[in-house]
Amino acid sequence: MPVDDLESRGAKNRGHNDPSSHAVEERETQWVPWLIPVFVVANVSMFLLVMYVNNCPKKNLGTEGKCVARFLGRFSFQPLKDNPLFGPSSSTLQKLGALEWTKVVDKHQGWRLISCIWLHAGVIHLVANMLSLVFIGIRLEQQFGFARIGIIYLLSGFGGSILSSLFIQKSISVGASGALFGLLGAMLSELITNWTIYTNKAAALLTLLVIVVINLAVGILPHVDNFAHIGGFLTGFLLGFVLMARPQYGWIEHRNLPADSQSKKKYKTYQYVLWLVSLILLIAGFAVGLVMLFRGENANDHCHWCHYLSCVRTSKWKCDGT
């Protein structure tokens, strides 16, 4: 998944010698990223556990020669006809927490909405997501700290799982892509809510929009859960307004005002409006989504064209695969 390269931040209409500009820069570099590396280690460790449980040579005794990379022993991969991504079987993923509508709704296994974001279908899937997580997440954690980025990552993954369950009810889904799209969505809303402190605003916005559109376009390919991408992106987009707003009025412009006045003028009115509207939409979206999910509703019944958001059928492929 491609990642963005946002233009460098700078305070608007401030000189290089402005002390408040240096204060902002110091604040942005004070966070030492550790949560994103932990997430990477957790995802890799979970994949190794899945492969250990999968144990292709033992569970495919009749077709032992078809296991890929048999020199890895029980960590060898399923036959490529079963899993072309060099990974485990779908039954192993189901056993260890893949997102599956029937188990979430009929067997009340709501924990799968979270567990699925720590599972990956194969080495290719894992490497692509982890590279994206490192390039996107490290920079965000450096700027905003582990707490906000951790909340965005986890809630975006959760939001992606909810939307995926509402629309995809005949197959399983795994992967951290929903959480990663949440980070992209948060980057976009952060750019919008902190618009006045950016230099080269148009270039930064255009770059990020192109990246988002390309990634979502890839999601219309078969076997890709684009609903998890869309749900994660929307969740992260709203969370960005709630968690990533920055002060818009520099201290230097108000240095002659009392401390109380300075603190009251740190954020602009539009930021408070975006914060409130986003929080309401976020709570309402989660509430409506969870109610629909656990009532067993199929969102396709309410949106007959939405299936095109996840897969567009062509002469080259069909959209009925798992």
Side-chain angles (χ1 to χ4, degrees):
M1 180 185 300
V3 296
D4 61 314
D5 184 15
L6 292 179
E7 299 295 331
S8 60
R9 291 183 172 81
K12 185 179 182 182
N13 297 328
R14 295 179 181 173
H16 292 293
N17 295 324
D18 187 329
S20 62
S21 297
H22 296 303
V24 171
E25 292 175 2
E26 290 173 3
R27 181 180 176 185
E28 288 184 347
T29 58
Q30 69 178 343
W31 298 101
V32 177
W34 62 268
L35 185 62
I36 294 300
V38 167
F39 281 167
V40 172
V41 171
N43 278 280
V44 173
S45 299
M46 192 64 196
F47 182 74
L48 292 175
L49 175 61
V50 170
M51 294 307 302
Y52 180 85
V53 173
N54 188 66
N55 196 1
C56 180
K58 180 178 180 180
K59 296 183 179 180
N60 291 272
L61 294 177
T63 57
E64 289 185 10
K66 294 183 179 180
C67 290
V68 179
R70 284 185 53 81
F71 64 89
L72 295 175
R74 67 183 299 149
F75 291 95
S76 58
F77 311 118
Q78 286 295 118
L80 293 182
K81 66 180 182 64
D82 296 333
N83 187 343
L85 298 178
F86 298 96
S89 65
S90 59
S91 60
T92 300
L93 291 172
Q94 287 175 304
K95 178 180 178 180
L96 294 180
L99 184 61
E100 188 175 5
W101 183 84
T102 55
K103 287 184 168 59
V104 172
V105 176
D106 297 334
K107 298 186 179 180
H108 308 291
Q109 297 179 1
W111 52 270
R112 289 179 179 270
L113 295 169
I114 293 295
S115 63
C116 67
I117 69 177
W118 303 99
L119 299 174
H120 287 83
V123 172
I124 297 175
H125 189 201
L126 176 70
V127 171
N129 276 351
M130 292 305 99
L131 287 176
S132 299
L133 178 57
V134 168
F135 285 115
I136 297 173
I138 291 292
R139 185 171 181 178
L140 285 176
E141 188 177 352
Q142 286 175 333
Q143 295 174 351
F144 295 97
F146 72 91
R148 282 180 282 186
I149 299 308
I151 291 172
I152 292 172
Y153 183 88
L154 294 174
L155 285 183
S156 296
F158 184 61
S161 295
I162 293 175
L163 194 66
S164 176
S165 297
L166 289 173
F167 283 97
I168 301 177
Q169 302 184 353
K170 295 182 179 180
S171 59
I172 66 172
S173 178
V174 294
S177 298
L180 292 172
F181 269 83
L183 295 181
L184 282 175
M187 292 177 75
L188 179 59
S189 57
E190 188 269 332
L191 173 60
I192 295 173
T193 192
N194 300 323
W195 185 254
T196 61
I197 66 173
Y198 270 86
T199 57
N200 299 321
K201 303 176 180 65
L205 179 61
L206 180 61
T207 299
L208 188 52
L209 286 176
V210 168
I211 290 168
V212 171
V213 170
I214 291 175
N215 278 277
L216 290 175
V218 171
I220 67 175
L221 297 174
H223 312 299
V224 179
D225 184 1
N226 211 27
F227 286 114
H229 297 172
I230 295 171
F233 178 82
L234 293 176
T235 302
F237 183 70
L238 294 175
L239 282 170
F241 289 121
V242 176
L243 298 176
M244 300 173 74
R246 294 176 182 270
Q248 301 295 290
Y249 297 155
W251 294 104
I252 193 69
E253 290 87 341
H254 301 280
R255 60 182 179 275
N256 296 323
L257 296 177
D260 292 341
S261 299
Q262 290 183 3
S263 62
K264 291 178 181 178
K265 293 182 179 296
K266 288 174 62 178
Y267 296 92
K268 290 189 174 181
T269 302
Y270 79 87
Q271 290 180 297
Y272 287 112
V273 173
L274 288 173
W275 180 90
L276 181 60
V277 172
S278 298
L279 185 61
I280 293 173
L281 290 176
L282 194 63
I283 295 173
F286 274 118
V288 172
L290 288 172
V291 168
M292 289 180 62
L293 176 60
F294 287 105
R295 287 178 57 182
E297 294 190 32
N298 188 337
N300 290 290
D301 295 335
H302 304 281
C303 182
H304 299 291
W305 57 268
C306 284
H307 63 277
Y308 291 115
L309 295 175
S310 186
C311 183
V312 176
R313 185 173 180 174
T314 71
S315 59
K316 301 297 183 181
W317 62 69
K318 298 179 180 180
C319 295
D320 55 356
T322 56

